Amino acid sequence: MNVRQKLLGGYLLVALMVGATALIAWQATTASAERAAALEAARLARGIAMDVALGLAVDTEDEVVSPLYYSPEALDNYLQRMHETQQRDAVVVDYAEYILGDVVKENIGHIFDHDLGNEVGRTIADGESRVFVETSSDYPDGIKQVVVPMRSKAGKTVGAIIVEYTPIYDQMMASTRPAQLITVVSATVVMLLVLALGVGITGSVVRRITSLTTAVRTIRAGDYSLRVPPDGRDEIGRLARAFNSMAQQLERSAREILAKEYTDSILSNAGEGICGIDPAGRIAFANEAAGRITGLGAAGLLQREARVLFPEAAGGLGSGTREGRLLRPDATTVRVEYTVSSIEKEGRPIGAVVVLRDVTRQRDLEHDLRHQALHDGLTGLPNRKLLLDRLDHALNRSRASGEHIALLYLDLDGFKRVNDSLGHNAGDLLLRTAAERLSAALRPHDTVARLGGDEFAVLLEGATPPVVEVLARACLDTIARPFMVHGREAVVTVSVGVVPDAARYTDADEVVRNADVAMYAAKDLGKNRFMVFETRMHEQLLTRLDQENRLREAVHRGELRLHLQPVVTIPDGHVTGAEALVRWQDPLRGLQQPGSFIPLAEETGMIIEIDRWILFEACRTLRHWQLESPWTAPAWVSVNLSAAHLDLPDLTDHVAYALATTGLSPHCLVLELTETVMMRDVAVTSARLQELRDLGVRIAIDDFGTGYSSLGYLRDIPVDVLKLDRSFITGLAGNGRQQELVTAIVQLGHTLGLRVVAEGVEDAEQLALLTVMGCKYAQGYHLGRPEPAYQLYERLTTPVFNT
């Protein structure tokens, strides 16, 4: 047993002894009450016996007293009166135990047989009073009875009196209950207090002993820092204070013993080189790191001149931090940073400590990080930040010296088409090649930078306007040459914005902004050219921004208009379908054609919202037409989808919503996508188009023949309609080779089960040739110009009368 168990056992034993004492007191009190009840009952019984045997006291002088047992009537009255007034029942028996008197009259004359132990007979025989328990069928629990002898005046026992003393017993026991309860409660409280005191004292003692044993184990493990709380003035407290004193002495001794070992170990294993220099300037101590950094080893450094080892400190090893290159014995160099700290004693120098670090990799990494922060990761050219920094410095020099400064802003034309059709890896390769060509076409000291995406900039220093023009044309020419990308030939051009007199502007940001504005002007004029910045261009840019803001609100303000261009069957000219086209009712500029705002919408992402408006409006218009005039309504309406809209994951859900909301059958809707958009990622595009076809919607390839795809893709992409680009129709008459090409495309489309629609039919001769070639559908100005939907509805539903 442990200490806790022993102490708790002792206190538990004390508690049990208190409980046993309380139990004995309870039993003693009960026994005393029982004896008192029996004595009191016997006293009462003797009084009754005297009344019955000797007679009642006289009320008058001349009255003659006679025993009650001689008069059954008097005896019965006596017993009944005692029963009613004192609630006491007594039985009178004679010498032979015949009942002479009883409250229950039926018992008179019978032998008293409820005394199973013959206590009544024994009392009559020896004259001693006794108690017993009367049991009968009426009283199964028993009745406490006392029996006393009944003697005549001559002292002869003539019978016995039996008196029930259960009420007296109950009264006696009830009077003792409070004392017994007090005894039990007091004993319980004392037991709980003893147990609580035992638990508290035991916990305190065991906790202090445990603290000491834990501290002993800790010291045995080599840790001398633990201390025991020295509380109390008893033996355990004195033991704790003695232990703390011993631990303190052991800790001090351990520190003194380990101090030198720690110092030697730290110096030996330190990552930095540490050398101790004596008063003569020689190395008196060197750790392993110093030997490794210098390449001489720790032993090879001893007694060497410190100033020879660190050439930058040839003038003296004064305190401070320096950095330089250290030549190793193997002819390699390492860049080190070393700190010299002088050691003085009593005001005179006695040596120094040199701490050196190899910072070669750190400096190389810092150089790489600076390069990455200022250069483009793909092409290695300076980035926008470095360009602006160089441009700022060039502007300052130009203002001081009058040197000519110019900036070119370049953006590749058609790069997105190559990137989308051939993939991003091909696009990255094209950008690297373009960067190499630009660097080769310009002067060595010109700064070529990549600003992001397919945008570049060139800083020309010391370049007069004629030189700037020559260099700008050189950029156009070098980019215009075809690129070989992953075995394919790709052709892109470049639009260049030129600021030839950069020093006249406030700062680098303004110069770049103006060059960017000029570049957009070059794009607006047809691309593949350079434009010199003029102030009006900035004004045009502001106008463009204003137009962009108005276009953002066009859908919400209800400014978009739906126009339809009919698609007719050949040769009967019946309108079988219609292409949905959008116009913008600009509140400032009037009705705008798609070419004036769709490119802007594509650049800003607003094209998705416009596409959704056209889709919903086209479905609503055709469904209304079908309900109002089903015999004139076109069989389908085609809606163009942009590349941005095709990339949305919820495209199919949105198309389904438009159809469900308007009630238009999916078979009446054709979604048109350009060939270039479809070919960007064939696997992804095919899956998305198949989702749309599963709705019942048909898919059309718009402007077929203008992209990079081959005819073989037609069997892999889920399409239903092939729209032949207008470039194949223009000049069709008189060009036999072009006619053969169109015929082949039409026949190929029919072979694949596609509906072929010729776009851009502008005259009757073109229509006649298409009829001969077997083309069944056509659209163009010759067959019907785009017009508001309500006008086309009125034109087709209004009967024509011949006069």
Side-chain angles (χ1 to χ4, degrees), residues 156-414:
K156 181 180 179 181
T157 301
V158 295
I161 301 297
I162 304 164
V163 178
E164 177 187 354
Y165 75 95
T166 298
I168 297 175
Y169 175 83
D170 291 340
Q171 291 175 2
M172 290 292 184
M173 294 305 295
S175 64
T176 61
R177 288 289 183 240
Q180 289 178 324
L181 291 175
I182 292 173
T183 301
V184 171
V185 171
S186 300
T188 303
V189 171
V190 171
M191 290 174 65
L192 293 176
L193 289 175
V194 169
L195 291 175
L197 182 63
V199 171
I201 294 176
T202 301
S204 175
V205 171
V206 171
R207 182 169 58 253
R208 296 166 68 190
I209 294 175
T210 302
S211 176
L212 278 170
T213 55
T214 302
V216 170
R217 293 194 193 97
T218 303
I219 286 182
R220 189 169 58 187
D223 183 2
Y224 306 110
S225 61
L226 187 62
R227 298 292 183 271
V228 179
D231 51 348
R233 296 183 177 277
D234 54 5
E235 289 78 1
I236 298 178
R238 290 195 295 272
L239 180 60
R241 287 188 287 275
F243 172 83
N244 289 341
S245 176
M246 178 190 69
Q248 185 175 4
Q249 294 177 6
L250 288 174
E251 184 179 18
R252 186 183 305 111
S253 300
R255 284 200 302 266
E256 293 173 355
I257 293 172
L258 295 177
K260 187 177 184 304
E261 295 181 5
Y262 283 161
T263 302
D264 294 343
S265 177
I266 290 171
L267 293 175
S268 177
N269 295 285
E272 297 178 334
I274 302 174
C275 298
I277 312 300
D278 63 15
R282 295 181 177 274
I283 299 175
F285 167 81
N287 66 351
E288 294 295 331
R292 183 176 63 255
I293 293 172
T294 60
L296 295 171
L301 286 171
L302 299 179
Q303 299 304 313
R304 282 182 175 268
E305 287 283 346
R307 287 180 293 181
V308 175
L309 186 62
F310 306 113
E312 287 77 6
L317 281 172
S319 297
T321 300
R322 302 172 179 82
E323 186 174 317
R325 290 200 170 272
L326 188 148
L327 181 63
R328 288 174 168 173
D330 58 1
T332 61
T333 59
V334 60
R335 192 164 192 84
V336 295
E337 178 187 81
Y338 56 96
T339 300
V340 180
S341 301
S342 298
I343 301 175
E344 296 183 356
K345 185 176 182 179
E346 297 178 357
R348 61 184 185 84
I350 61 172
V353 174
V354 179
V355 179
L356 62 153
R357 294 189 303 124
D358 182 355
V359 295
T360 306
R361 294 184 61 185
Q362 179 181 340
R363 297 297 178 259
D364 292 341
L365 179 60
E366 290 172 354
H367 177 269
D368 291 341
L369 290 176
R370 283 195 299 270
H371 186 272
Q372 293 175 16
L374 299 174
H375 290 77
D376 174 54
L378 178 64
T379 62
L381 296 176
N383 60 12
R384 178 184 293 270
K385 183 177 181 180
L386 182 55
L387 173 73
L388 292 175
D389 182 70
R390 291 185 180 180
L391 180 55
D392 270 330
H393 286 85
L395 291 174
N396 293 332
R397 290 193 300 270
S398 176
R399 294 184 183 109
S401 64
E403 181 185 26
H404 289 282
I405 300 296
L407 184 71
L408 309 182
Y409 199 109
L410 302 87
D411 185 272
L412 300 183
D413 307 320

Side-chain angles (χ1 to χ4, degrees), residues 603-617:
E603 291 176 14
T604 58
M606 292 182 287
I607 189 64
I608 295 176
E609 193 171 2
I610 294 176
D611 277 358
R612 291 183 172 179
W613 181 89
I614 299 172
L615 174 64
F616 188 88
E617 191 66 16

